[in-house]
Structure formats: structure tokens, C-alpha cells
Amino acid sequence: MIYLDNAATTMTDPEVVRAMLPYFTENFGNPSSLYGMGNDVRHAIALAKEQIARLIGSRPNEIYFTSGGTESDNWALMGAVLGVKHRPHIITTQIEHQAVLNTCKALERMGCEVTYLPVMRDGLVDIDKLKKALKPETDIVSVMMANNEIGTIEPIAQIAAIAHENGSLVHTDAVQCVGNIPLDVRELDVDLLSASAHKFGGPKGVGFLYIRNGIDIRPYIYGGAQQGGMRAGTENVPGIVGMGAAAEIAGRNLDMRSKHIETLRDMLLNEIKDRVPGTTLNGSRKNRLPNNINVSFSGVDAQALQVRLDMQGICVSTGAVSASGNQDRSHVLKAINVNEARKNGAIRISLSDKNTMGEIDRVADIISQQVDMIRGMQW
Ligand SMILES: *Cc1c(COP(=O)(O)O)cnc(C)c1O
């Protein structure tokens, strides 16, 4: 099997699994317990905060554990606007993940105003439109750091500077970036940042929200005193330990690793373009995640291709995993003005450092062969 869907999820690193195991068995204690075993577990959680803080350039006490990227996005947005004295205003984009878009829709039903910024053809936010959308009462600007379908990397530092000048909070969904490309919350100057462990070699069902010290945001889950009362409930200790280990591993040679993946990515893209006429790349060529390819093959239905690739042992994606139904297969491709035919022909290939040169050749071969077969059936 050749796995090329790392934007959907990644394999849990065996080293991560090893780090987690004792926290199911001999170290099963509750971190809130005041005896030795509780202490050990508290230390493990503190270590995970340090490992994550090191990866993103924050302080350990700015890391809050959640059940994943979706919860972190929900918390950032709801925490920033619920209970404010005026009618809240959120600015986000049309290409966000459903975790942001559907939270915004729920908040609209509760009375918030939400502006969904359009993006340009390469998927980049139009900065002029952002400036025009800002109002004195805009509470929060939430723009994803990199898109999960087309891999476009947004100019977050520039967006944050503009939003801060207006006195608004800044959130970024960095689920596709943390552990994948180097990033630093101080350089980005964001107030809130979402991430998810299973997108960078950690376990599923655990993530974090970075909350900059000193900003005003509401708690998300009410209950005991865990996490300073901000997100109550007994911590997912094995998951947190696993996420910490994954952060530590991801931080090793991150720069070199992401350049290596980019080289593999460019090789694959060039081979596909050489062998398959009628290939178009969706999204920005330049401002792009190092592991992302999103291509359309003219006259080819992506789902038919995906099934054929699957039969050859190759896992790719057609649009976002959580997008449902065929009707509006991708809100992202729609937002960048991809026409209907190209939209139906779009597949996403997302690599990892586990992919090899040999796999790249094989994948390009099989894609060109399967595209030819689909086209042959039609013409
Ligand atoms: C995967 C993903 C999420 C959701 O994260 P989960 O941990 O699966 O809930 C949110 N945003 C983006 C950009 C993603 O890629």
C-alpha cells in the first residue's frame, strides 16, 4: 500500500505508541491525585506542554489540551465572542475547514455577525478585502494557516498585524502546519492557534489550543479545576503524552524534513504533468504546503480515479474527508473559481517523509495508466 493521504491523518509513530503505553497501565493515575502516581502523571503532562511549546515557540502555560483540531477551533471562536457586550463580529474566510465554518454558522444563529472573506484564484486571502471588512467592534479574525485541500499557506503574520491594529483577536487553524512546517507563534503574532495530534504523527482524539497569556477568552468546558478551569475534565493522559512525543519527534530536523518532502512532491508533480496531458494544479504553486498536490485531470471524474487507485493500493483523497455529498464537493475549489469539470476531477495527494522515490515513480505510472483507461472508456 502507498499512503498519500497525510492531510487526512498520519500513522501514529511507533515511538509515540511506546511513550503512551505506560500511561494506560503502570502509570494509570489521575493527574489530580495528590499521591506519588498522580505526581508522575502531572509531570508527564507538564513535559508534553514543554515539548509542544518548543515546537511552536510558546510558553508551556499557553498550551491547553483539547480533543482535537475541531474542539480547538470551536473553543477559539466561541471563547472569543460568547458573552461580549456588543453584537459580536467575526471575520473568517470561505475556505476554512468545516470546524471553523460550522462553528461560525452556529454563532450566526446565536446572533453573531460573520464575514466570510473571499480568496483569490491561488487561494490567498485578499488583504484589501480584509481591511475593508474590519469594524471597530470586530472581535476576532480567524484565518487558517494552510488550507487542508489545496495547501495554500496564508500570510498570517501580515493578517495578524492588520487585525491587531484594529484591536481584534487573531486565531489561526494551523492543523495542517504544526509538525509539518516550521512555525513560531511569536513571529506569527497570533493570539490563538489550533492543532491536532493525529495530523503530525500523534494519536487521534487529542489536540491543543495555544492561548496567548493575557488575552481574554472564556473557558470551554465547565467542571473541575483541570487546566485552570478553562477546559475541565480529567485529562486524556495517554493522548497528551503521545502528542508531546509526536511534537518532540516532529521538531527534529523539521526544516530538512519538510524540504525533503517538498523535493518528493515536486518530482511527483512534474512526473504527473509530463505523463498526463490535461493536468492542472489547483491552488498556489509558490505559497503551498511542502506535502500537498491538488490536481485536476480534464475529463476524469476524481471519484472514479480514486477507486481505481485504491484497487492498485494507492490512497489519495477527493476533496475534504468530512465534505459530504456530491452536490458541492468542495467549497474550497468553488471559492477559488475552479470550474465544475475541474472540480469533479480534483484529487489531493498529501505526502509524508515515509514516502520514497520508488513510490513516486510507481504512483506517477499508475496515475497516468488509470487516467488513460478512464479517458479511453469515454472516447
Ligand atoms: C483535520 C483538520 C481539522 C480537524 O481536526 P480533528 O483533530 O480531526 O478534529 C481542523 N482543521 C483543519 C485544517 C484540518 O485539516
Side-chain angles (χ1 to χ4, degrees), residues 7-8 67-71 73 96-100 144 146-148 173-176 194-199 204-207 321 348:
S67 64
T70 301
E71 183 186 326
D73 287 342
E96 297 298 311
H97 189 274
Q98 285 82 359
V100 166
M144 70 199 321
N147 184 267
N148 46 299
D173 174 340
V175 172
Q176 289 291 330
S194 302
S196 176
H198 75 97
K199 302 287 175 83
K204 292 165 183 59
V206 61
V321 267
R348 178 188 69 190

Side-chain angles (χ1 to χ4, degrees), residues 142-169:
S142 177
V143 175
M144 70 199 321
M145 189 170 173
N147 184 267
N148 46 299
E149 288 185 44
I150 55 173
T152 302
I153 300 175
E154 302 291 344
I156 297 300
Q158 190 188 0
I159 289 166
I162 293 163
H164 281 150
E165 205 173 309
N166 191 62
S168 310
L169 288 174

Side-chain angles (χ1 to χ4, degrees), residues 2 18 26 50 97 139 150 158 216 237 286 295 306 314 317 327 346 350:
I2 303 180
R18 270 198 301 281
E26 60 260 39
E50 283 169 24
H97 189 274
D139 300 285
I150 55 173
Q158 190 188 0
D216 188 18
V237 177
K286 193 167 121 261
V295 278
Q306 182 192 30
I314 298 174
S317 155
Q327 215 54 93
S350 46

Side-chain angles (χ1 to χ4, degrees), residues 12 15-25 202-203 236 238-243:
T12 310
E15 196 179 329
V16 168
V17 176
R18 270 198 301 281
M20 292 171 71
L21 284 176
Y23 294 90
F24 291 104
T25 52
N236 171 4
I240 289 167
V241 167
M243 180 163 60

